[in-house]
């Protein structure tokens, strides 16, 4: 008879905590299971998430519920056209008592930053997050200042056709691990939302909704260590590369997936494999995470857009044509 090691027991406990995390978020958000799963995958991969959807589909509530179910520090920034970079990163403040400048931390110095409606602010302010997202530090007046660990940016975004929005630069889009679409709920889910509100649910008081912290830094560290040990066969690595190379050759795209996108797809597939209880990656894991990991890393040709082609449709077609390893 074999007994589980302390290491495997910690990993199993961490997986159970993350499953409970999804349940806790479900107490506040109805019918967005794929978005909840995407946020959990991002936490495991130390990645950032972009949530896109029309106003009123609970994008902000989803992130707030995630923060409430985690024992992590969180801050929220409402991105507006007049927001300045220093409003996000912090700035040097003159202290008249000491006659010296001291650095005052901005809201980016937190574990979970909710960047609400990130595409409502001009590119200059959007770019203030680039160093924070990639290097996990902020440099002000030549001095780098490290951010807390873990650090995750969860940004909400309205579709670009809505008035008063600015497109995110490609360099910033590429720094988001996942782009999750938050669709309108089904009729049954919408009835569930109304039923909850009729019963007294207040989206501004998540504590009253019964959401409690079920995971924290210790569980995240154990889960990340376990994900790092998920094995990847040469055939699976080749499959990921073939998918990404096919986007670069697609006649519908002017920009395909970069090698950074390929490493992102491999990372998210490993996290998904571990969440489903396996220590190895299958082609189905890659397919399951291909759309949210790659859709924001490609750029459609204008003529393809005019014909109604979408990035999701191009990636789905590529997945159906690239040979699957056996």
């Amino acid at each position: 008879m074999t007994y589980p090691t302390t290491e495997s027991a910690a990993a199993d406990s961490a997986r159970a905590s993350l499953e409970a995390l999804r349940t806790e978020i479900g107490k506040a958000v109805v019918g967005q299971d794929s978005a909840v799963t995407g946020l959990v995958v991002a936490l495991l991969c130390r990645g950032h998430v972009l949530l896109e959807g029309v106003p009123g589909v609970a994008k902000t509530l989803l992130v707030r519920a995630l923060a409430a179910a985690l024992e992590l520090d969180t801050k929220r920034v409402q991105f507006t056209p007049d927001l300045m970079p220093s409003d996000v990163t912090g700035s040097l403040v003159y202290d008249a008592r000491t006659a010296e400048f001291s650095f005052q931390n901005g809201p980016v110095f937190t574990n979970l930053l909710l960047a609400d409606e990130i595409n409502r602010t001009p590119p200059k302010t959007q770019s203030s997050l680039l160093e924070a997202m990639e290097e996990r530090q902020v440099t002000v007046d030549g001095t780098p200042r490290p951010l807390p660990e873990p650090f995750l940016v969860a940004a909400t975004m309205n579709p670009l056709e809505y008035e008063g929005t600015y497109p995110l630069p490609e360099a910033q889009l590429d720094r988001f691990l996942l782009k999750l679409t938050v669709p309108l709920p089904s009729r049954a889910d919408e009835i569930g939302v109304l039923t909850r509100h009729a019963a007294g649910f207040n989206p501004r008081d998540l504590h009253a909704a019964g959401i409690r912290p079920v995971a924290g830094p210790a569980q995240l560290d154990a889960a990340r260590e376990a994900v790092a040990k998920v094995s990847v066969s040469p055939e699976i690595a080749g499959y990921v590369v073939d998918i990404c190379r096919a986007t670069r050759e697609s006649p519908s795209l002017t920009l395909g997936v970069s090698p950074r996108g390929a490493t992102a797809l491999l990372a998210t597939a490993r996290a998904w494999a571990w969440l489903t209880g396996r220590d190895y990656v299958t082609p189905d894991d890659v397919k399951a995470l291909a759309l949210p990991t790659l859709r924001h890393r490609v750029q459609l040709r204008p003529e393809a857009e005019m014909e109604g082609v979408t990035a999701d449709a191009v990636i789905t077609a590529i997945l159906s044509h690239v040979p699957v390893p056996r």
Side-chain angles (χ1 to χ4, degrees), residues 18-293:
L18 293 177
E19 287 293 335
L21 180 68
R22 297 161 70 180
T23 303
E24 290 299 306
I25 296 173
K27 293 179 180 178
V29 181
V30 179
Q32 300 294 356
D33 293 339
S34 61
V36 172
T37 299
L39 286 167
V40 174
V41 168
L43 282 169
L44 292 175
C45 298
R46 292 184 171 88
H48 310 290
V49 177
L50 189 61
L51 295 160
E52 184 183 69
V54 299
V57 289
K59 300 186 299 295
T60 302
L61 178 61
L62 180 61
V63 180
R64 288 180 54 240
L66 173 68
L70 288 169
E71 294 175 329
L72 299 176
D73 182 47
T74 181
K75 290 185 175 67
R76 176 181 179 273
V77 178
Q78 179 66 51
F79 280 72
T80 56
D82 59 347
L83 192 74
M84 299 296 292
S86 58
D87 296 329
V88 179
T89 61
S91 59
L92 293 173
V93 178
Y94 182 72
D95 189 340
R97 294 173 298 177
T98 61
E100 293 180 350
F101 285 93
S102 61
F103 181 71
Q104 183 173 342
N105 288 350
V108 74
F109 286 86
T110 187
N111 297 123
L112 176 60
L113 177 68
L114 170 55
D116 216 356
E117 296 187 305
I118 191 172
N119 61 333
R120 289 204 179 277
T121 197
K124 179 180 180 180
T125 305
Q126 292 175 7
S127 65
S128 66
L129 283 175
L130 286 177
E131 182 186 17
M133 294 171 67
E134 184 66 19
E135 306 296 336
R136 299 180 185 272
Q137 66 178 25
V138 169
T139 302
V140 176
D141 197 31
T143 303
R145 294 173 170 84
L147 295 172
E149 177 63 33
F151 173 68
L152 180 143
V153 174
T156 68
M157 184 174 86
N158 296 325
L160 293 181
E161 59 265 24
Y162 278 77
E163 186 177 353
T165 58
Y166 300 82
L168 269 65
E170 286 79 5
Q172 184 166 5
L173 281 172
D174 201 38
R175 281 164 173 77
F176 283 101
L177 179 72
L178 298 171
K179 179 182 178 183
L180 306 174
T181 57
V182 185
L184 290 166
S186 65
R187 182 176 184 273
D189 286 337
E190 196 164 358
I191 290 174
V193 171
L194 296 185
T195 302
R196 288 190 181 191
H197 279 261
F201 171 71
N202 182 2
R204 296 173 183 82
D205 187 0
L206 296 180
H207 180 73
I211 296 182
R212 57 188 177 85
V214 293
Q219 288 77 21
L220 283 177
D221 287 343
R224 288 167 174 175
E225 288 180 13
V227 169
K229 295 175 181 175
V230 173
S231 64
V232 179
S233 68
E235 292 77 15
I236 292 296
Y239 183 52
V240 171
V241 168
D242 290 343
I243 292 171
C244 295
R245 291 180 69 86
T247 65
R248 302 169 203 161
E249 300 166 0
S250 171
S252 299
L253 301 176
T254 58
L255 178 69
V257 177
S258 69
R260 172 163 38 195
T263 61
L265 179 55
L266 185 61
T268 56
R270 292 175 84 184
W272 177 244
W274 179 79
L275 277 174
T276 52
R278 281 178 284 102
D279 60 357
Y280 59 92
V281 179
T282 69
D284 286 341
D285 298 324
V286 176
K287 289 181 179 181
L289 274 297
L291 285 179
T293 309

Side-chain angles (χ1 to χ4, degrees), residues 282-312:
T282 69
D284 286 341
D285 298 324
V286 176
K287 289 181 179 181
L289 274 297
L291 285 179
T293 309
L294 304 182
R295 59 164 59 109
H296 56 297
R297 304 176 193 270
V298 300
Q299 196 170 76
L300 289 166
R301 292 187 182 277
E303 54 269 29
E305 282 191 281
M306 292 178 63
E307 293 173 1
V309 177
T310 64
D312 281 15

